[in-house]
């Protein structure tokens, strides 16, 4: 009984702050969408398309943070402080390089990038303007993400949450002032939303730096600047990182192909899908903490070679995720019509958005299981190539072909296209479950 209570407290100590932080991060896009929703379908679609491209950076950054989390949690379990420092700085440098690369793309050729998503001139121009400004948030996001990973692994998950609270409040206030031109501020519309998001990410970074330095001083953690890996450690780092990078890039690219499919089905279909993105992000984010908790807790157990405990706790975390996702799906079905009614868009767009929410509610429990099992548990032992192949098979052998076939051959409406391509989640879960039961993912880093 005492062990169960300790496990539950540990899960909540990691999962709850991470979940709240995910929800606050998601609130950036939710607030943007709700306020921009008053500007019309083209503005909604433009912000949604720009967000899809910038999400490629977010996903790759998340991949680097995931690699950092695997390594830091295992080395903390082994009490290898030098390797903790090395893992932190190596991943921070890599995240910074990614940030500079994507910033250059967004500042240098945003119109060309958005042309790949839509041929609607107005929507493309709105998206390009948004992308130019949001690009300046990429570098602060890099440090925030890697520093937050170390803080969570070191049992300080509340500190990144505090930074996110301040950033969310700032984002909401600036959105109101700059989108609509309140209290003497200029009315900037979509560009105002981009400025608000960028400023909020900057504040989140500054606060995270403050909390990070204070925590290191209190724990007397020196973190000497070491980023080069010696011998086998370097090969091990690449073995962990490269499959995650490839996996997340291909998954994100697949998501962008899906967005291009919706965009080429018409502005109404694209706008309807964009309306549902904040809800999808919030629902997945509400249980994202379990994935983070799984990666950290199972990683520490594997690092200390407690394999039976790791397997037992993994099953409990998956059960928590299933029950939570089922509850949220029922809540979405109850409140979905009210949500789409908030937006001042055409009746057809509202109807399509409601049907999309129903499809998402049905597939959501499977998505959550994949997030916890693939995104947290199977990766925690460092054999990240398993998840890379699972995602490749699901997205590119099933999801993308089903999307093109249902949209342009069968010519189905966007809710049915979304449901068809989402069936790839079932394929991924089936393969992941087989690997989980074989236990071949369970190992301690040497």
């Amino acid at each position: 009984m005492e062990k169960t209570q300790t496990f539950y407290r540990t899960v909540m100590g990691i999962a709850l702050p991470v979940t709240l932080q995910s929800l606050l991060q998601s609130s950036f896009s939710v607030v943007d969408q709700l306020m921009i929703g008053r500007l019309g379908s083209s503005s909604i679609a433009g912000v949604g398309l720009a967000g899809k491209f910038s999400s490629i950076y977010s996903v790759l950054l998340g991949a680097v943070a995931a690699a950092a989390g695997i390594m830091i949690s295992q080395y903390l379990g082994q009490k290898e402080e030098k390797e903790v420092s090395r893992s932190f700085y190596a991943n921070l440098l890599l995240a910074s390089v990614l940030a500079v690369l994507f910033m250059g793309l967004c500042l240098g050729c945003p119109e060309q990038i958005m042309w790949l998503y839509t041929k609607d001139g107005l929507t493309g121009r709105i998206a390009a303007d948004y992308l130019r400004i949001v690009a300046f948030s990429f570098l602060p996001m890099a440090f925030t993400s890697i520093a937050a990973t170390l803080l969570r692994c070191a049992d300080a998950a509340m500190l990144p949450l505090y930074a996110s609270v301040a950033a969310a409040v700032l984002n909401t206030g600036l959105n109101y002032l700059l989108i609509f031109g309140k209290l003497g501020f200029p009315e900037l519309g979509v560009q105002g939303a981009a400025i608000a998001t960028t400023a909020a990410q900057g504040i989140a970074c500054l606060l995270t730096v403050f909390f990070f330095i204070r925590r290191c001083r209190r724990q007397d953690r020196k973190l000497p600047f070491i980023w080069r890996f010696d011998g086998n450690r370097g090969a091990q780092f690449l073995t962990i990182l490269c499959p995650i990078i490839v996996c997340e890039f291909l998954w994100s690219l697949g998501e962008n192909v899906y967005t291009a499919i919706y965009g080429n089905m018409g502005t109404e279909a694209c706008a309807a899908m964009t309306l549902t993105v904040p809800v999808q992000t919030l629902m997945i984010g509400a249980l994202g903490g379990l994935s983070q908790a799984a990666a950290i807790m199972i990683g520490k157990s594997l690092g200390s070679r407690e394999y039976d405990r790791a397997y037992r706790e993994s099953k409990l975390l998956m059960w928590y995720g299933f029950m939570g996702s089922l509850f949220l799906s029922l809540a979405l079905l109850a409140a979905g019509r009210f949500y789409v009614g908030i937006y001042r868009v055409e009746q057809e767009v509202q109807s399509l958005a409601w049907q999309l929410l129903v499809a998402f509610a049905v597939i959501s429990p499977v998505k959550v299981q994949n997030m916890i099992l693939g995104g947290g548990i199977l990766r925690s032992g460092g054999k990240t190539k398993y998840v890379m192949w699972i995602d490749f098979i699901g997205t590119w052998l099933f999801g993308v072909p089903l999307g093109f076939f249902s949209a342009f051959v069968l010519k189905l409406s966007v809710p049915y296209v979304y449901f068809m391509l989402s069936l790839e989640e079932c394929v991924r879960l089936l393969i992941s479950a087989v690997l989980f039961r074989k236990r071949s993912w369970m190992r301690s880093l040497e």
Side-chain angles (χ1 to χ4, degrees):
M1 182 66 178
E2 184 178 347
K3 288 184 178 180
T4 302
Q5 290 178 343
T6 301
F7 171 75
Y8 182 75
R9 285 196 297 269
T10 304
V11 171
M12 294 304 293
I14 300 172
L16 186 58
V18 172
T19 293
L20 291 175
Q21 186 178 4
S22 296
L23 291 175
L24 286 167
Q25 291 286 346
S26 300
S27 74
F28 288 4
S29 62
V30 173
V31 172
D32 285 356
Q33 293 291 355
L34 288 174
M35 295 188 182
I36 291 169
R38 299 178 177 273
L39 304 179
S41 296
S42 293
S43 294
I44 294 174
V47 172
L49 294 177
K52 269 300 176 183
F53 179 76
S54 61
S55 73
I56 298 177
Y57 166 70
S58 299
V59 166
L60 290 177
L61 176 60
V64 177
I70 292 169
M71 299 167 72
I72 291 171
S73 61
Q74 285 233 10
Y75 290 135
L76 284 174
Q78 298 172 16
K79 303 188 185 320
E80 292 275 1
E81 290 292 330
K82 182 179 178 181
E83 297 306 320
V84 170
S85 180
R86 195 193 309 273
S87 301
F88 172 76
Y89 284 114
N91 286 288
L92 178 59
L93 287 172
L94 180 57
S96 300
V97 170
L98 281 174
V100 172
L101 174 63
F102 273 84
M103 185 186 300
L105 287 173
C106 292
L107 293 175
C109 51
E111 290 88 356
Q112 291 83 350
I113 292 171
M114 287 301 102
W115 182 85
L116 299 173
Y117 290 83
T118 180
K119 302 302 182 290
D120 185 311
L122 177 59
T123 301
R125 286 193 298 274
I126 291 172
D129 289 342
Y130 185 88
L131 206 55
R132 283 192 188 92
I133 299 170
V134 169
F136 289 100
S137 69
F138 292 166
L139 203 53
M141 286 173 63
F143 185 85
T144 300
S145 182
I146 305 302
T149 298
L150 177 55
L151 289 171
R152 291 179 193 129
C153 292
D155 301 321
M158 290 298 295
L159 298 180
L161 173 61
Y162 298 149
S164 292
V165 169
V169 171
L170 178 65
N171 182 65
T172 302
L174 287 179
N175 264 315
Y176 177 73
L177 296 175
L178 296 176
I179 292 176
F180 305 115
K182 302 296 183 179
L183 301 180
F185 284 83
E187 184 177 345
L188 300 177
V190 169
Q191 293 182 21
I195 293 171
T197 297
T198 302
Q201 292 290 357
I203 290 298
C205 179
L206 291 175
L207 289 174
T208 302
V209 170
F210 171 75
F211 292 137
F212 180 82
I213 293 173
R214 190 175 69 171
R215 181 72 177 185
C216 288
R217 286 177 176 174
R218 286 187 174 181
Q219 293 186 330
D220 197 28
R221 177 168 281 135
K222 302 300 182 182
L223 284 179
F225 184 70
I226 308 171
W227 64 276
R228 291 181 180 274
F229 287 95
D230 302 324
N232 293 335
R233 298 274 185 175
Q236 186 179 73
F237 171 60
L238 293 176
T239 300
I240 293 172
L241 176 67
C242 289
I244 298 181
I245 290 285
V246 172
C247 169
E248 297 298 335
F249 176 75
L250 290 177
W251 175 83
S252 180
L253 187 61
E255 289 292 308
N256 278 265
V257 170
Y258 297 159
T259 300
I261 291 173
Y262 306 141
N264 284 280
M265 292 177 70
T267 300
E268 291 79 10
C270 184
M273 179 56 68
T274 303
L275 290 185
T276 69
V277 169
V279 174
Q280 293 190 41
T281 305
L282 282 172
M283 284 189 62
I284 297 299
L287 295 169
L290 287 174
S291 178
Q292 292 276 344
I296 294 170
M297 294 174 63
I298 306 306
K300 287 183 177 180
S301 295
L302 294 177
S304 57
R305 292 180 168 80
E306 297 179 82
Y307 298 122
D308 289 337
R309 175 184 175 184
Y311 190 76
R312 183 177 62 253
E313 292 181 347
S314 295
K315 291 192 289 186
L316 279 174
L317 287 163
M318 286 189 287
W319 175 248
Y320 291 163
F322 175 74
M323 294 304 296
S325 62
L326 191 61
F327 171 78
L328 290 176
S329 288
L330 293 174
L332 176 59
L333 292 174
R337 286 193 182 276
F338 171 78
Y339 169 77
V340 299
I342 295 174
Y343 293 93
R344 294 180 180 177
V345 294
E346 298 84 350
Q347 183 61 42
E348 180 185 358
V349 175
Q350 288 189 359
S351 178
L352 289 173
W354 160 242
Q355 294 173 49
L356 284 164
L357 290 178
V358 172
F360 174 73
V362 172
I363 206 70
S364 178
V366 183
K367 282 180 174 285
V368 170
Q369 286 301 303
N370 280 324
M371 177 179 66
I372 296 171
L373 185 53
I377 294 169
L378 295 182
R379 283 177 172 172
S380 61
K383 291 191 174 182
T384 53
K385 63 181 180 181
Y386 288 166
V387 181
M388 178 188 73
W389 285 112
I390 291 169
D391 282 358
F392 175 79
I393 291 169
T395 300
W396 291 97
L397 298 188
F398 286 88
V400 170
L402 283 173
F404 278 105
F405 180 73
S406 57
F408 305 121
V409 178
L410 298 180
K411 298 188 183 300
L412 300 177
S413 63
V414 68
Y416 292 99
V417 172
Y418 171 77
F419 183 77
M420 287 280 288
L421 60 84
S422 292
L423 293 177
E424 57 100 357
E425 296 282 353
C426 300
V427 175
R428 291 169 56 202
L429 182 59
L430 179 62
I431 301 173
S432 298
V434 172
L435 286 173
F436 175 74
R437 291 181 64 85
K438 286 186 175 181
R439 302 195 185 197
S440 56
W441 53 275
M442 302 174 70
R443 70 163 184 165
S444 174
L445 298 181
E446 299 297 335

